[in-house]
PDB file of all heavy atoms in Angstrom:
ATOM      1  N   PRO A  96      95.159  88.797 103.020  1.00  0.00           N
ATOM      2  CA  PRO A  96      94.551  89.893 102.249  1.00  0.00           C
ATOM      3  C   PRO A  96      95.255  91.236 102.341  1.00  0.00           C
ATOM      4  O   PRO A  96      95.060  92.090 101.481  1.00  0.00           O
ATOM      5  CB  PRO A  96      93.132  89.981 102.842  1.00  0.00           C
ATOM      6  CG  PRO A  96      93.232  89.361 104.191  1.00  0.00           C
ATOM      7  CD  PRO A  96      94.273  88.292 104.081  1.00  0.00           C
ATOM      8  N   PHE A 194     128.299  76.256  71.867  1.00  0.00           N
ATOM      9  CA  PHE A 194     128.532  74.843  72.178  1.00  0.00           C
ATOM     10  C   PHE A 194     127.221  74.135  72.508  1.00  0.00           C
ATOM     11  O   PHE A 194     126.954  73.027  72.015  1.00  0.00           O
ATOM     12  CB  PHE A 194     129.516  74.742  73.342  1.00  0.00           C
ATOM     13  CG  PHE A 194     129.829  73.328  73.765  1.00  0.00           C
ATOM     14  CD1 PHE A 194     130.594  72.503  72.960  1.00  0.00           C
ATOM     15  CD2 PHE A 194     129.355  72.838  74.970  1.00  0.00           C
ATOM     16  CE1 PHE A 194     130.893  71.205  73.349  1.00  0.00           C
ATOM     17  CE2 PHE A 194     129.640  71.544  75.374  1.00  0.00           C
ATOM     18  CZ  PHE A 194     130.417  70.721  74.555  1.00  0.00           C
ATOM     19  N   ALA A 336     122.340  49.732  89.511  1.00  0.00           N
ATOM     20  CA  ALA A 336     121.556  49.692  88.268  1.00  0.00           C
ATOM     21  C   ALA A 336     120.940  51.056  87.982  1.00  0.00           C
ATOM     22  O   ALA A 336     120.871  51.495  86.827  1.00  0.00           O
ATOM     23  CB  ALA A 336     120.463  48.636  88.380  1.00  0.00           C
ATOM     24  N   PHE A 350     124.142  73.389  85.386  1.00  0.00           N
ATOM     25  CA  PHE A 350     123.800  73.862  86.726  1.00  0.00           C
ATOM     26  C   PHE A 350     123.736  75.380  86.740  1.00  0.00           C
ATOM     27  O   PHE A 350     124.687  76.064  86.361  1.00  0.00           O
ATOM     28  CB  PHE A 350     124.821  73.371  87.756  1.00  0.00           C
ATOM     29  CG  PHE A 350     124.616  73.953  89.135  1.00  0.00           C
ATOM     30  CD1 PHE A 350     123.420  73.779  89.808  1.00  0.00           C
ATOM     31  CD2 PHE A 350     125.620  74.695  89.746  1.00  0.00           C
ATOM     32  CE1 PHE A 350     123.219  74.325  91.058  1.00  0.00           C
ATOM     33  CE2 PHE A 350     125.438  75.242  91.005  1.00  0.00           C
ATOM     34  CZ  PHE A 350     124.222  75.058  91.666  1.00  0.00           C
TER      35      PHE A 350
END
Side-chain angles (χ1 to χ4, degrees):
F194 180 71
F350 173 58

